[in-house]
Amino acid sequence: MIPFNKPPVVGTELEYMQQAMASGKLCGDGGFTKRCEEWMEQHFGCLKAQLTPSCTASLEMAAILLNIQPGDEVIMPSYTFVSTANAFVLRGATIVFVDVHPDTMNIDETKIEAAITDKTKAIVPVHYAGVACEMDTIMALAKKYDLYVVEDAAQGVMSTYKGRALGTIGHIGCFSFHETKNYSAGGEGGATLINDNAMITRAEVIREKGTNRTQFFRGQVDKYTWRDIGSSYLMSDLQAAFLWAQLEVADKINQRRLVLWHHYYQALKPLAEKGLLTLPAIPENREHNAHMFYIKLKDVEQRGEFNSHMKAADMLTVFHYVPLHSCPAGETFGRFHGEDRFTTSESERLVRLPMFYNITDEEQQLVISRIKEFFA
C-alpha cells in the first residue's frame, strides 16, 4: 500500500534522542530545544522562537498573548483546520469567516476590510499548502485598523513571501511539526514565533504556565512566581531531539519535496491542459515548500469516484478540510461574512495525493500511472 503520508525520517533521530535521554533533562527547554529555537531564529529571522507541544498550543498561546476577550472578533478563512478557530473561541471570540481565492485556497485579502468592525481584534491568514497569503495587503489593513496579525503557518515552514519567511511577517507566527508536516517532532510539535519585541517577555510567562520560571533559570529573579494566565506550552526535549535531526538537513528535505512536487506537476500537466483536472497555482514572489500536492476534479461526486479508484489499487488519496462555517461548531461560534463563492465549491473538488519525504520515485510513478488510468 502507498499511504497518503509517512512521518519524515532522516536517520539521526534515534542517536539524538539517546543523547537527550543521557542528558538527564527531558522536560522543556533542554539542550535540543535551544538548538532548534536558535536555528529558527537565525534561519527565519524572527526575534524569538519558542517550541510548543503543537501548532494548536501555539495558536492558543497567541490568543492569550493578544488578550482576546469575550466579544472580540477574529477574521480568518473558513477553509482551515479547527485549531485555527478553536484557539480564539476558547478566549470567547466570535470567528468571522471570509471567502478564499480559488487558485490558492488562501484567504481573499480583498474581502477582509468589509468584515472589519469595531469589535475586530485580529486577522489570521492561513498559508494553505505552504503557499503564502497576500501579506502586504493584510499587514496594511492591520496597520490601518490597529489590528494584530497571527500567521497560521502550520504548513509553511521553509516557505517565503517576497523573500521573508512565513511566520515572521505578522505579529506572531505559528508552526506545526506534526507527523504530517515537512518536519516532525516525532508525532506532535509546534513553535510560536514572536515578531514584536514588546511581546517576548509575556510570551515566556504564558508558555511557562503563567510563571516567570524562564527568567529564574536565567538568573534574572531569585525565585519564580505566578505572574499571569498561561499553560504548559513547552515541548519535551526528547521531541526536540527528533526535530533537530530534521532541521539539520532542512534544505535537503525541502529540495526533495520540491522535486516530488514538480514531478507530479509535469506528469499531470497534460491532463490539466485537456481540462480534466486543475493543478495548484503558485503566485509570483512566493516560494513554497512543497508541503502538499493536490488536484481539483469536476465536483464532489467525481472526487469520490477518484478516491475509490485509487483505494482499489492500495493508494490512499484524501480530501481535506470541511469548511468550518458549515460545521455545527462553526455555526455556533462564528459567521460567514459576504458570499461563499469559492470556499465550499472549491473544497469539494480538492483531493490530496501521497506526498512525503521518504516516498520513492517508483511509488510516485505508480500513483501517477493510476491517476492517468482514471482519466483514460
Side-chain angles (χ1 to χ4, degrees):
M1 179 178 181
I2 300 176
F4 162 68
N5 178 73
K6 283 184 181 178
V9 175
V10 300
T12 52
E13 291 87 353
L14 185 57
E15 175 189 347
Y16 290 155
M17 291 171 75
Q18 289 173 330
Q19 289 180 24
M21 288 187 285
S23 74
K25 181 175 175 57
L26 293 181
C27 64
D29 287 344
F32 283 102
T33 297
K34 291 172 183 174
R35 287 190 211 181
C36 291
E37 291 176 346
E38 289 173 0
W39 185 94
M40 285 188 279
E41 289 165 5
Q42 293 169 7
H43 199 92
F44 301 131
C46 64
L47 294 177
K48 184 71 175 177
Q50 300 175 315
L51 290 188
T52 61
S54 64
C55 188
T56 298
S58 294
L59 288 160
E60 291 176 6
M61 184 177 157
I64 296 174
L65 190 54
L66 298 186
N67 290 313
I68 299 297
Q69 301 290 325
D72 289 342
E73 293 179 355
V74 178
I75 298 172
M76 65 181 65
S78 173
Y79 191 64
T80 184
F81 189 58
V82 295
S83 295
T84 315
N86 257 337
F88 300 93
V89 170
L90 283 168
R91 308 304 309 157
T94 297
I95 308 302
V96 180
F97 301 111
V98 298
D99 210 5
V100 296
H101 287 290
D103 58 346
T104 62
M105 302 303 288
N106 280 338
I107 191 169
D108 185 340
E109 69 284 352
T110 69
K111 307 296 184 185
I112 295 174
E113 188 165 20
I116 296 173
T117 71
D118 58 359
K119 297 179 181 179
T120 305
K121 190 74 172 284
I123 304 168
V124 186
V126 180
H127 303 300
Y128 186 71
V131 178
C133 298
E134 180 45 64
M135 291 305 296
D136 282 351
T137 301
I138 292 170
M139 295 308 296
L141 284 171
K143 184 176 182 180
K144 179 179 179 180
Y145 292 97
D146 194 24
L147 305 175
Y148 292 111
V149 174
V150 178
E151 291 179 76
D152 185 334
Q155 301 175 2
V157 180
M158 297 289 282
S159 295
T160 63
Y161 172 82
K162 296 185 177 179
R164 297 182 65 184
L166 300 191
T168 69
I169 303 167
H171 299 87
I172 303 171
C174 301
F175 281 166
S176 173
F177 298 115
H178 187 269
E179 68 173 34
T180 58
K181 300 304 188 291
N182 296 23
Y183 311 91
S184 174
E188 289 276 1
T192 306
L193 275 56
I194 307 297
N195 306 310
D196 183 338
N197 265 317
M199 294 183 179
I200 292 176
T201 299
R202 186 163 183 250
E204 289 181 336
V205 170
I206 291 168
R207 181 170 170 266
E208 267 284 14
K209 310 159 191 73
T211 74
N212 58 348
R213 187 168 179 262
T214 301
Q215 290 92 324
F216 170 71
F217 280 117
R218 286 200 297 255
Q220 294 172 307
V221 293
D222 60 357
K223 60 180 178 294
Y224 69 88
T225 59
W226 185 18
R227 314 292 293 183
D228 201 342
I229 61 171
S231 192
S232 184
Y233 291 135
L234 279 71
M235 179 192 286
S236 156
D237 211 52
L238 197 60
Q239 290 175 279
F242 192 103
L243 177 61
W244 176 245
Q246 305 200 349
L247 293 184
E248 271 195 319
V249 292
D251 289 329
K252 178 183 176 182
I253 292 174
N254 196 51
Q255 288 306 310
R256 172 59 179 164
R257 294 188 69 103
L258 286 167
V259 167
L260 293 167
W261 193 96
H262 286 292
H263 189 193
Y264 269 138
Y265 192 94
Q266 293 303 319
L268 300 178
K269 190 176 179 181
L271 297 176
E273 290 171 345
K274 293 178 182 177
L276 297 174
L277 54 79
T278 303
L279 295 173
I282 311 297
E284 190 178 359
N285 294 321
R286 303 177 212 194
E287 295 291 333
H288 71 108
N289 61 357
H291 170 63
M292 72 172 78
F293 197 95
Y294 64 81
I295 58 175
K296 289 183 182 176
L297 304 176
K298 183 173 64 175
D299 51 33
V300 67
E301 288 78 20
Q302 189 185 45
R303 183 178 69 179
E305 294 168 1
F306 176 85
N307 284 340
S308 295
H309 170 81
M310 300 300 288
K311 186 177 181 181
D314 286 333
M315 299 175 189
L316 188 59
T317 56
V318 300
F319 59 84
H320 214 182
Y321 314 125
V322 174
L324 297 185
H325 75 281
S326 61
C327 299
E331 294 173 351
T332 300
F333 301 117
R335 67 175 186 273
F336 198 100
H337 184 276
E339 180 187 359
D340 173 10
R341 186 178 176 190
F342 297 115
T343 299
T344 299
S345 61
E346 293 297 313
S347 68
E348 289 180 343
R349 299 172 55 211
L350 189 147
V351 61
R352 298 177 62 182
L353 306 184
M355 179 77 174
F356 48 93
Y357 173 65
N358 301 107
I359 193 172
T360 66
D361 293 343
E362 293 75 18
E363 287 173 327
Q364 186 184 34
Q365 190 56 51
L366 287 172
V367 174
I368 292 168
S369 297
R370 185 66 176 174
I371 293 170
K372 290 180 177 179
E373 288 175 11
F374 178 79
F375 290 102

